[in-house]
Amino acid sequence: DSDVGRSITDLAERLLGIELVDDVNQVLHTLQRRERQLHVAQHDAWYLLCVLPYRTLEDVIDGVVVTFVDITELKASEEQAARLAAIVTSSQDAIYSQTLDRVITSWNAGAESVYGYAAEEALGRSVDDLLVPIDRTGLFLAKGIANLVFIVLVEVLIVPVFVVLFDLDVGSWPI
């Protein structure tokens, strides 16, 4: 209640490092909501700032509504997901994911080198179209349970007379 009736500039001074007055002026000028993510370093916290025009029952703009939503946990989860994605993306192991219909939805650099298809070629295609049995083209076929992430570690030894031996270690986990 102590902030009711106070100027937004007084409130903005207490919120370090944000241009709240500019946001308010823009919303009042355009009548469009404005959202931004803010990091408050002194508390190591993240907030979603949302500024909306305030309309009375008579449909008259009579100020703005300013909300702050604590998104600190969300940002931490996003950072963790980005770290894990970087591990999968840069792995030399073939890692891909597929839908229940066996359509490829992700394909890392390891899968590119093991299977010979660029991600652009593999994404959206059926696993069955890309990975065929060894007796047909010499490529390994990863037949597995639908909707799993496959991690395939392949050591290939090519010996004379074109015999290919595989030392294969496969792990899969539901997503």
Side-chain angles (χ1 to χ4, degrees), residues 28 31 53-64:
L28 288 173
L31 300 181
Y54 173 74
R55 295 179 189 269
T56 66
L57 292 175
E58 295 78 29
D59 201 29
V60 174
I61 302 300
D62 192 28
V64 295

Side-chain angles (χ1 to χ4, degrees), residues 77-159:
S77 295
E78 288 174 348
E79 290 172 6
Q80 176 67 6
R83 281 191 293 276
L84 293 174
I87 292 169
V88 169
T89 300
S90 63
S91 175
Q92 296 302 308
D93 298 327
I95 302 173
Y96 69 92
S97 60
Q98 65 188 32
T99 66
L100 291 173
D101 298 328
R102 299 181 53 80
V103 174
I104 296 170
T105 56
S106 66
W107 188 265
N108 76 339
E112 287 183 357
S113 72
V114 169
Y115 298 118
Y117 293 100
E120 297 79 27
E121 296 173 289
L123 294 174
R125 295 189 53 194
S126 171
V127 170
D128 299 323
D129 292 342
L130 295 181
L131 309 178
V132 295
I134 192 167
D135 63 335
R136 302 224 0 238
T137 65
L139 293 176
F140 172 74
L141 172 61
K143 287 267 190 199
I145 300 171
N147 204 27
L148 295 179
V149 173
F150 291 90
I151 299 179
V152 181
L153 308 174
V154 178
E155 292 180 22
V156 177
L157 173 63
I158 301 177
V159 294

Side-chain angles (χ1 to χ4, degrees), residues 11 21 43 45 50-51 66 72 79 102-103 105 108 113 115 165-166:
L11 180 62
V21 175
H43 301 292
C50 185
V51 183
V66 179
T72 305
E79 290 172 6
R102 299 181 53 80
V103 174
T105 56
N108 76 339
S113 72
Y115 298 118
L165 303 175
F166 288 94

